[in-house]
Amino acid sequence: MLWYGGDYNPEQWPEDVWTEDMALMRAARVNLVTVGVFSWARLEPSEGVYAFDWLDKVMDLLDDNGIQVNLATPTASPPPWFSLAYPDALPVTPDGVRLTHGSRDTYCVSAPAYRNKARNIAIKLRERYGEHPALAMWHVHNEYGTSCFCDHVAAAFRAWLEVRYGTLDALNEAWATSFWSQHYSDWAQIMPPRATQYLPNPGQRLDFRRFRSDELMSAYIEQRDILRDTGLPITTNFVFGGWVPVDHWRWAREVDLVAIDDYPSQAGRAAAEQSAFAADLARSWAGGKPWVLMEQAAGVIYTGGRMLSKEPGEIERHSLQHVARGSSGVMFFQWRASRGGAEQWHSGMVPHAGADSRIFREVAELGRTLEELPELGRVSADVAILWDYEAWWGLDQPGLPAEGLDYLEAVRQAHRVLWRQGVLTDFAHPSADISGYRVVIVPSLFVISDAAAENLRNYQGTLVVGYLSGVCDAHARVRLGGYPGALRDVLGIRVEEFRPLAEPVTLSNGAEADLWSEVVELHGAEAVVRYPDGSPAITRFENAWYVSTRLGDDAYAAVLAAAGIEGTGEPGVEQVRRDPMTFTIRHP
Ligand code: GLA
């Protein structure tokens, strides 16, 4: 059985609405709702004073109606009393501004007061509802992704660095602090990467991002361990973009099932491609464990300053994309669109118009469709795209040799061209076991550890490596002797110079390339495509291909086809096999 439902926030509504909610949920075949995500102020209205009556009623009501509960800990939004009592737990921006209560996610994860109160409310929820018959799953927090640069964070960052490096000498070496007089003679001198005069230190920035991911994860683990003895699955919701800037490969090991939120920022087929990307990532993060689409929108999404609506049929198409790719269910944010509050214009499964609406009819229809699906099995792919947060973070900084280098876009391009051709892809961490894949694509893997380089060296299948891969070590320091330092031998080439392009150029195969080019020497490889000056642009060394410039989608697809990956997909028709059926989804 697939889960079907969404975030349910009944505290926003009078109780007579709850009765209607139950009838509508049953009509829509809803079987799981996420409750309490932002309920802290209603559960603990003042410090140490608890009000569980309303949640008792909600839990019982859902149970009476045969609907299971994914109970959240509300720690993503501390109440106003908390911020007033513990002002040192309010987050500070890189330029030193301390934020004020008034939105959500306004806390510092390293502040002891925040951690204490977060543990406390998790304990209270566990005590009160841990044995409730409706409880099916725990949803810790919401989208862990806040950042802070305060003194608590500085202390935690130093402690993390001491564990990582052991000695200041090792840290100074890793961060190349001899440049610009940054040598540290005491741990206390090290700061988070706060606003500074000019270019910051790349090693410090990269380590701060690793630290932030680990620090947030330790807050998650504290709560998870409080809830552990209930024996129920425990998760928290991931998001793939910059919104939740944590290393989901590491986090995925700590959850019982991977949960993702998927809010495409584009419309039409581009949105469908984004949803496929998110679903393929979730399946890959889960690595064989279950995963679920925890949130999506039933209608209007507020994204990047504009509103995107869902066209008729799109709710079902996007949902089935996730199910086809392995999701254990389909969930939304949120059940009922709010009448007020910051997200009053974000859609709901029950829109402002009420149940007599296209959106609710589509939601109810989807409930029936999901209920009728057979028991579904696993999904498997024989092509993998390497995806790595550290490479992304390494490439996301000022002072690079070209403006406009975009790791996420390089990864998305690889996924997009294969999605269009109907080729199902996994994502893989650079150090993961990739021996089972026929082809591995490596887009702009700028930072690469020694272990990952070794992994690629040992790989026997077809490798397609993109520009700016293998250039830096795990500390974002250049690997010397010619680019792409870690992969020269695998690719049979040596790059003497980067040559960013001011204008696009036409390559020997007629394809246009832009932004980036390299001076490639052949050391065993052959030139398959050349730059206008005759030097190699795309090379091949046995089964290892190198693309030293940025191509458009069609030209990139042609390289992948030459390397042996070409699908038979029709444009706009997505077909995915998940035993025992093949899902066919038509995107207009
Ligand atoms: C996120 C959050 C939800 C809600 C939605 C819609 O995914 O988890 O609480 O804010 O976005 O914006």
Side-chain angles (χ1 to χ4, degrees):
M1 186 199 72
L2 294 168
W3 287 310
Y4 188 49
D7 278 44
Y8 181 40
N9 299 307
E11 68 271 32
Q12 297 176 10
W13 301 96
E15 287 192 27
D16 56 323
V17 177
W18 303 3
T19 315
E20 190 198 21
D21 287 337
M22 294 305 114
L24 293 178
M25 283 183 193
R26 283 205 313 271
R29 318 289 213 265
V30 164
N31 56 25
L32 181 74
V33 288
T34 307
V35 176
V37 175
F38 295 113
S39 305
W40 197 344
R42 296 293 299 269
L43 293 170
E44 190 179 358
S46 52
E47 188 165 4
V49 176
Y50 302 96
F52 289 119
D53 298 8
W54 68 271
L55 186 52
D56 293 351
K57 274 192 204 166
V58 169
M59 297 287 290
D60 292 348
L61 194 60
L62 288 163
D63 191 39
D64 292 346
N65 284 276
I67 298 163
Q68 293 193 296
V69 175
N70 173 26
L71 187 59
T73 64
T75 50
S77 204
W81 61 255
F82 173 82
S83 307
L84 287 170
Y86 303 99
D88 65 307
L90 286 165
V92 174
T93 62
D95 38 10
V97 176
R98 193 176 285 280
L99 301 179
T100 310
H101 194 275
S103 182
R104 64 174 181 189
D105 294 302
T106 318
Y107 62 87
C108 165
V109 79
S110 301
Y114 170 76
R115 293 287 270 267
N116 287 338
K117 294 293 169 195
R119 280 195 301 271
N120 176 66
I121 191 71
I123 290 168
K124 296 287 176 204
L125 287 167
R126 193 259 161 266
E127 284 170 359
R128 190 146 188 119
Y129 302 108
E131 274 75 44
H132 195 283
L135 185 65
M137 193 190 296
W138 291 103
H139 180 297
V140 174
H141 199 90
N142 190 67
E143 296 182 343
Y144 274 102
T146 45
S147 62
C148 176
F149 296 78
C150 76
D151 291 345
H152 292 307
V153 169
F157 184 38
R158 287 175 204 132
W160 182 92
L161 290 167
E162 283 205 55
V163 172
R164 182 171 172 83
Y165 292 106
T167 66
L168 270 181
D169 283 350
L171 178 138
N172 279 308
E173 182 62 25
W175 289 6
T177 55
S178 306
F179 194 72
W180 281 353
S181 184
Q182 292 184 347
H183 190 271
Y184 295 103
S185 57
D186 192 319
W187 291 99
Q189 297 160 0
I190 302 172
M191 294 292 165
R194 294 173 176 161
T196 191
Q197 151 68 12
Y198 181 43
L199 297 175
N201 181 302
Q204 179 195 15
R205 272 175 54 111
L206 179 55
D207 272 340
F208 186 73
R209 288 182 159 203
R210 291 180 174 124
F211 152 78
R212 182 166 61 188
S213 177
D214 284 358
E215 182 74 352
L216 289 163
M217 193 167 79
S218 71
Y220 161 77
I221 288 173
E222 269 175 14
Q223 290 197 41
R224 180 200 65 190
D225 291 350
I226 288 167
L227 307 170
R228 183 49 97 205
D229 69 346
T230 56
L232 295 168
I234 305 172
T235 192
T236 184
N237 43 346
F238 298 172
V239 189
F240 83 85
W243 179 251
V244 174
V246 302
D247 187 339
H248 290 105
W249 291 118
R250 287 164 68 85
W251 279 66
R253 296 185 218 138
E254 307 296 339
V255 294
D256 296 321
L257 79 156
V258 164
I260 58 152
D261 300 345
D262 178 31
Y263 294 101
S265 59
Q266 293 164 287
R269 285 191 191 167
E273 191 279 318
Q274 286 183 301
S275 282
F277 183 99
D280 288 337
L281 256 183
R283 184 185 62 255
S284 306
W285 286 333
K289 286 197 280 200
W291 69 273
V292 67
L293 170 64
M294 187 62 89
E295 287 185 27
Q296 62 170 336
V300 158
I301 310 170
Y302 179 78
T303 168
R306 66 199 173 117
M307 292 282 190
L308 287 179
S309 58
K310 287 216 169 162
E311 295 302 313
E314 213 161 20
I315 293 176
E316 179 167 298
R317 291 196 294 275
H318 286 188
S319 301
L320 290 183
Q321 285 187 286
H322 285 270
V323 173
R325 289 177 152 73
S327 179
S328 300
V330 171
M331 307 282 287
F332 292 82
F333 178 86
Q334 58 181 329
W335 165 252
R336 198 178 267 281
S338 303
R339 71 184 314 182
E343 292 196 319
Q344 66 191 131
W345 303 114
H346 185 92
S347 52
M349 297 165 81
V350 181
H352 291 145
D356 182 10
S357 57
R358 170 183 74 83
I359 287 183
F360 185 71
R361 281 187 285 278
E362 288 197 23
V363 162
E365 180 59 36
L366 175 60
R368 274 190 291 279
T369 304
L370 297 177
E371 208 176 59
E372 283 161 13
L373 289 175
E375 196 64 31
L376 295 166
R378 300 281 293 268
V379 181
S380 67
D382 69 352
V383 175
I385 300 169
L386 294 194
W387 155 281
D388 184 29
Y389 280 92
E390 304 199 352
W392 185 7
W393 296 338
L395 201 48
D396 177 25
Q397 60 180 317
L400 294 172
E403 295 264 329
L405 293 165
D406 184 341
Y407 177 76
L408 186 55
E409 173 49 25
V411 175
R412 283 195 54 193
Q413 182 184 45
H415 186 270
R416 180 169 67 229
V417 301
L418 293 175
W419 178 79
R420 286 184 186 152
Q421 297 178 25
V423 177
L424 185 74
T425 46
D426 279 351
F427 292 93
H429 184 270
S431 304
D433 178 5
I434 48 174
S435 57
Y437 294 106
R438 188 172 62 84
V439 183
V440 169
I441 303 174
V442 187
S444 298
L445 196 65
F446 181 65
V447 164
I448 187 169
S449 67
D450 295 345
E454 190 57 24
N455 198 32
L456 293 184
R457 239 174 256 130
N458 293 333
Y459 175 64
Q460 301 294 314
T462 298
L463 204 54
V464 183
V465 177
Y467 59 94
L468 264 180
S469 294
V471 166
C472 290
D473 69 10
H475 304 295
R477 293 174 308 193
V478 175
R479 290 175 177 277
L480 301 176
Y483 317 119
L487 301 175
R488 286 196 304 261
D489 48 352
V490 177
L491 298 169
I493 56 159
R494 177 171 176 269
V495 173
E496 231 179 80
E497 271 180 64
F498 293 148
R499 208 169 43 172
L501 295 172
E503 299 288 336
V505 295
T506 302
L507 304 178
S508 59
N509 63 350
E512 198 166 87
D514 72 352
L515 184 73
W516 188 256
S517 73
E518 299 175 359
V519 180
V520 180
E521 284 168 17
L522 301 174
H523 287 258
E526 57 175 308
V528 179
V529 175
R530 294 179 180 274
Y531 288 110
D533 67 1
S535 66
I538 301 174
T539 62
R540 178 182 185 173
F541 183 45
E542 294 164 2
N543 56 356
W545 295 70
Y546 185 58
V547 182
S548 70
T549 184
R550 188 169 81 171
L551 302 173
D553 285 358
D554 291 345
Y556 188 65
V559 175
L560 296 182
I565 341 170
E566 199 173 15
T568 50
E570 262 175 72
V573 182
E574 185 170 345
Q575 285 201 311
V576 184
R577 178 79 192 164
R578 182 176 179 192
D579 285 334
M581 59 185 286
T582 299
F583 287 82
T584 302
I585 305 158
R586 290 174 196 284
H587 301 286

mmCIF file of all heavy atoms in Angstrom, residues 44 69 102 153 159 178 214 255 257 280 318 325 375 388 397 405 412 431 442 484 522 581:
data_model
loop_
_atom_site.group_PDB
_atom_site.id
_atom_site.type_symbol
_atom_site.label_atom_id
_atom_site.label_comp_id
_atom_site.label_asym_id
_atom_site.label_seq_id
_atom_site.Cartn_x
_atom_site.Cartn_y
_atom_site.Cartn_z
ATOM 1 N N GLU A 44 3.528 24.235 23.619
ATOM 2 C CA GLU A 44 4.194 24.762 24.826
ATOM 3 C C GLU A 44 4.007 26.277 24.784
ATOM 4 O O GLU A 44 4.906 27.024 24.387
ATOM 5 C CB GLU A 44 5.695 24.377 24.803
ATOM 6 C CG GLU A 44 6.395 24.668 26.116
ATOM 7 C CD GLU A 44 7.885 24.265 26.122
ATOM 8 O OE1 GLU A 44 8.377 23.712 25.120
ATOM 9 O OE2 GLU A 44 8.547 24.527 27.137
ATOM 10 N N VAL A 69 -0.681 8.657 11.483
ATOM 11 C CA VAL A 69 -0.027 9.947 11.748
ATOM 12 C C VAL A 69 1.488 9.827 11.646
ATOM 13 O O VAL A 69 2.103 8.912 12.196
ATOM 14 C CB VAL A 69 -0.416 10.483 13.149
ATOM 15 C CG1 VAL A 69 0.362 11.757 13.470
ATOM 16 C CG2 VAL A 69 -1.915 10.749 13.208
ATOM 17 N N GLY A 102 9.790 36.213 13.991
ATOM 18 C CA GLY A 102 8.783 36.776 13.084
ATOM 19 C C GLY A 102 8.559 35.925 11.855
ATOM 20 O O GLY A 102 7.611 36.140 11.113
ATOM 21 N N VAL A 153 28.369 29.304 17.256
ATOM 22 C CA VAL A 153 28.757 28.574 16.048
ATOM 23 C C VAL A 153 30.283 28.569 15.920
ATOM 24 O O VAL A 153 30.889 27.541 15.569
ATOM 25 C CB VAL A 153 28.082 29.198 14.798
ATOM 26 C CG1 VAL A 153 28.672 28.653 13.513
ATOM 27 C CG2 VAL A 153 26.581 28.927 14.847
ATOM 28 N N ALA A 159 35.628 23.303 17.531
ATOM 29 C CA ALA A 159 35.663 21.940 18.095
ATOM 30 C C ALA A 159 35.633 20.911 16.959
ATOM 31 O O ALA A 159 36.350 19.902 16.994
ATOM 32 C CB ALA A 159 34.476 21.742 19.039
ATOM 33 N N SER A 178 49.321 30.215 4.515
ATOM 34 C CA SER A 178 50.506 31.053 4.297
ATOM 35 C C SER A 178 50.186 32.192 3.348
ATOM 36 O O SER A 178 50.875 33.215 3.315
ATOM 37 C CB SER A 178 51.641 30.220 3.690
ATOM 38 O OG SER A 178 51.865 29.113 4.501
ATOM 39 N N ASP A 214 27.139 18.718 9.407
ATOM 40 C CA ASP A 214 27.319 17.801 10.549
ATOM 41 C C ASP A 214 26.655 18.340 11.812
ATOM 42 O O ASP A 214 26.118 17.583 12.620
ATOM 43 C CB ASP A 214 28.813 17.592 10.842
ATOM 44 C CG ASP A 214 29.465 16.659 9.830
ATOM 45 O OD1 ASP A 214 28.763 16.157 8.932
ATOM 46 O OD2 ASP A 214 30.688 16.430 9.939
ATOM 47 N N VAL A 255 18.651 8.199 8.659
ATOM 48 C CA VAL A 255 17.175 8.134 8.677
ATOM 49 C C VAL A 255 16.729 6.718 8.335
ATOM 50 O O VAL A 255 17.456 5.981 7.661
ATOM 51 C CB VAL A 255 16.553 9.142 7.676
ATOM 52 C CG1 VAL A 255 16.845 10.567 8.094
ATOM 53 C CG2 VAL A 255 17.048 8.886 6.247
ATOM 54 N N LEU A 257 13.880 6.105 6.643
ATOM 55 C CA LEU A 257 13.491 6.225 5.242
ATOM 56 C C LEU A 257 13.804 7.652 4.802
ATOM 57 O O LEU A 257 13.701 8.584 5.603
ATOM 58 C CB LEU A 257 12.014 5.884 5.009
ATOM 59 C CG LEU A 257 10.950 6.923 5.342
ATOM 60 C CD1 LEU A 257 9.694 6.663 4.545
ATOM 61 C CD2 LEU A 257 10.621 6.843 6.818
ATOM 62 N N ASP A 280 14.970 10.707 -8.618
ATOM 63 C CA ASP A 280 16.146 9.847 -8.835
ATOM 64 C C ASP A 280 17.196 10.069 -7.742
ATOM 65 O O ASP A 280 17.862 9.130 -7.304
ATOM 66 C CB ASP A 280 16.748 10.103 -10.227
ATOM 67 C CG ASP A 280 15.867 9.535 -11.342
ATOM 68 O OD1 ASP A 280 15.083 8.610 -11.053
ATOM 69 O OD2 ASP A 280 15.957 10.017 -12.485
ATOM 70 N N HIS A 318 3.086 14.453 -11.861
ATOM 71 C CA HIS A 318 4.257 14.603 -10.987
ATOM 72 C C HIS A 318 4.276 13.514 -9.922
ATOM 73 O O HIS A 318 5.328 12.975 -9.580
ATOM 74 C CB HIS A 318 4.265 15.982 -10.323
ATOM 75 C CG HIS A 318 4.645 17.084 -11.280
ATOM 76 N ND1 HIS A 318 4.873 18.366 -10.879
ATOM 77 C CD2 HIS A 318 4.841 17.084 -12.620
ATOM 78 C CE1 HIS A 318 5.192 19.123 -11.927
ATOM 79 N NE2 HIS A 318 5.170 18.355 -12.988
ATOM 80 N N ARG A 325 9.469 5.975 -9.862
ATOM 81 C CA ARG A 325 10.898 5.947 -9.531
ATOM 82 C C ARG A 325 11.178 5.380 -8.150
ATOM 83 O O ARG A 325 12.300 5.437 -7.687
ATOM 84 C CB ARG A 325 11.471 7.366 -9.651
ATOM 85 C CG ARG A 325 11.556 7.808 -11.080
ATOM 86 C CD ARG A 325 12.062 9.231 -11.199
ATOM 87 N NE ARG A 325 12.732 9.380 -12.470
ATOM 88 C CZ ARG A 325 12.097 9.426 -13.634
ATOM 89 N NH1 ARG A 325 10.793 9.353 -13.683
ATOM 90 N NH2 ARG A 325 12.790 9.526 -14.758
ATOM 91 N N GLU A 375 1.044 -3.995 -5.709
ATOM 92 C CA GLU A 375 2.222 -3.906 -4.835
ATOM 93 C C GLU A 375 3.440 -3.659 -5.736
ATOM 94 O O GLU A 375 3.648 -4.402 -6.708
ATOM 95 C CB GLU A 375 2.355 -5.237 -4.097
ATOM 96 C CG GLU A 375 3.256 -5.225 -2.896
ATOM 97 C CD GLU A 375 2.766 -4.326 -1.774
ATOM 98 O OE1 GLU A 375 1.531 -4.158 -1.606
ATOM 99 O OE2 GLU A 375 3.637 -3.768 -1.104
ATOM 100 N N ASP A 388 27.997 15.174 -5.853
ATOM 101 C CA ASP A 388 28.737 15.339 -4.611
ATOM 102 C C ASP A 388 28.596 16.762 -4.081
ATOM 103 O O ASP A 388 28.886 17.733 -4.780
ATOM 104 C CB ASP A 388 30.218 15.036 -4.872
ATOM 105 C CG ASP A 388 31.035 15.088 -3.596
ATOM 106 O OD1 ASP A 388 30.488 14.818 -2.519
ATOM 107 O OD2 ASP A 388 32.234 15.425 -3.685
ATOM 108 N N GLN A 397 31.951 29.386 -5.095
ATOM 109 C CA GLN A 397 32.695 30.391 -4.339
ATOM 110 C C GLN A 397 33.271 31.431 -5.283
ATOM 111 O O GLN A 397 33.425 31.170 -6.476
ATOM 112 C CB GLN A 397 33.809 29.725 -3.550
ATOM 113 C CG GLN A 397 34.807 29.001 -4.405
ATOM 114 C CD GLN A 397 35.870 28.368 -3.534
ATOM 115 O OE1 GLN A 397 36.338 28.984 -2.619
ATOM 116 N NE2 GLN A 397 36.241 27.145 -3.841
ATOM 117 N N LEU A 405 30.293 29.401 -13.748
ATOM 118 C CA LEU A 405 30.462 27.964 -13.567
ATOM 119 C C LEU A 405 29.396 27.504 -12.577
ATOM 120 O O LEU A 405 29.230 28.110 -11.521
ATOM 121 C CB LEU A 405 31.858 27.653 -13.033
ATOM 122 C CG LEU A 405 32.988 27.949 -14.013
ATOM 123 C CD1 LEU A 405 34.336 27.974 -13.298
ATOM 124 C CD2 LEU A 405 32.994 26.918 -15.149
ATOM 125 N N ARG A 412 22.568 18.692 -13.674
ATOM 126 C CA ARG A 412 21.205 18.650 -14.215
ATOM 127 C C ARG A 412 21.208 18.420 -15.716
ATOM 128 O O ARG A 412 20.335 17.749 -16.252
ATOM 129 C CB ARG A 412 20.449 19.938 -13.883
ATOM 130 C CG ARG A 412 19.996 19.943 -12.430
ATOM 131 C CD ARG A 412 18.962 20.992 -12.171
ATOM 132 N NE ARG A 412 17.844 20.845 -13.092
ATOM 133 C CZ ARG A 412 16.904 21.763 -13.274
ATOM 134 N NH1 ARG A 412 16.943 22.869 -12.593
ATOM 135 N NH2 ARG A 412 15.924 21.565 -14.128
ATOM 136 N N SER A 431 32.682 8.164 -3.988
ATOM 137 C CA SER A 431 33.408 7.040 -3.376
ATOM 138 C C SER A 431 32.552 5.776 -3.272
ATOM 139 O O SER A 431 33.001 4.786 -2.704
ATOM 140 C CB SER A 431 33.862 7.407 -1.955
ATOM 141 O OG SER A 431 34.623 8.573 -1.991
ATOM 142 N N VAL A 442 30.462 11.977 -15.020
ATOM 143 C CA VAL A 442 31.117 12.757 -13.950
ATOM 144 C C VAL A 442 31.098 14.241 -14.337
ATOM 145 O O VAL A 442 32.045 14.749 -14.928
ATOM 146 C CB VAL A 442 32.581 12.281 -13.771
ATOM 147 C CG1 VAL A 442 33.228 12.958 -12.559
ATOM 148 C CG2 VAL A 442 32.667 10.771 -13.645
ATOM 149 N N PRO A 484 43.457 17.478 -15.422
ATOM 150 C CA PRO A 484 42.684 17.361 -14.191
ATOM 151 C C PRO A 484 43.410 16.411 -13.263
ATOM 152 O O PRO A 484 43.275 15.201 -13.387
ATOM 153 C CB PRO A 484 41.342 16.790 -14.657
ATOM 154 C CG PRO A 484 41.616 16.082 -15.958
ATOM 155 C CD PRO A 484 42.943 16.561 -16.479
ATOM 156 N N LEU A 522 47.390 15.404 -25.510
ATOM 157 C CA LEU A 522 47.033 13.985 -25.542
ATOM 158 C C LEU A 522 48.188 13.149 -24.981
ATOM 159 O O LEU A 522 49.327 13.289 -25.410
ATOM 160 C CB LEU A 522 46.733 13.553 -26.980
ATOM 161 C CG LEU A 522 45.592 14.335 -27.639
ATOM 162 C CD1 LEU A 522 45.460 13.933 -29.119
ATOM 163 C CD2 LEU A 522 44.271 14.111 -26.910
ATOM 164 N N MET A 581 5.055 -3.260 -13.074
ATOM 165 C CA MET A 581 4.460 -2.504 -14.185
ATOM 166 C C MET A 581 5.418 -1.468 -14.773
ATOM 167 O O MET A 581 6.430 -1.113 -14.174
ATOM 168 C CB MET A 581 3.160 -1.841 -13.750
ATOM 169 C CG MET A 581 3.282 -0.880 -12.592
ATOM 170 S SD MET A 581 1.647 -0.298 -12.090
ATOM 171 C CE MET A 581 1.267 0.848 -13.438
#
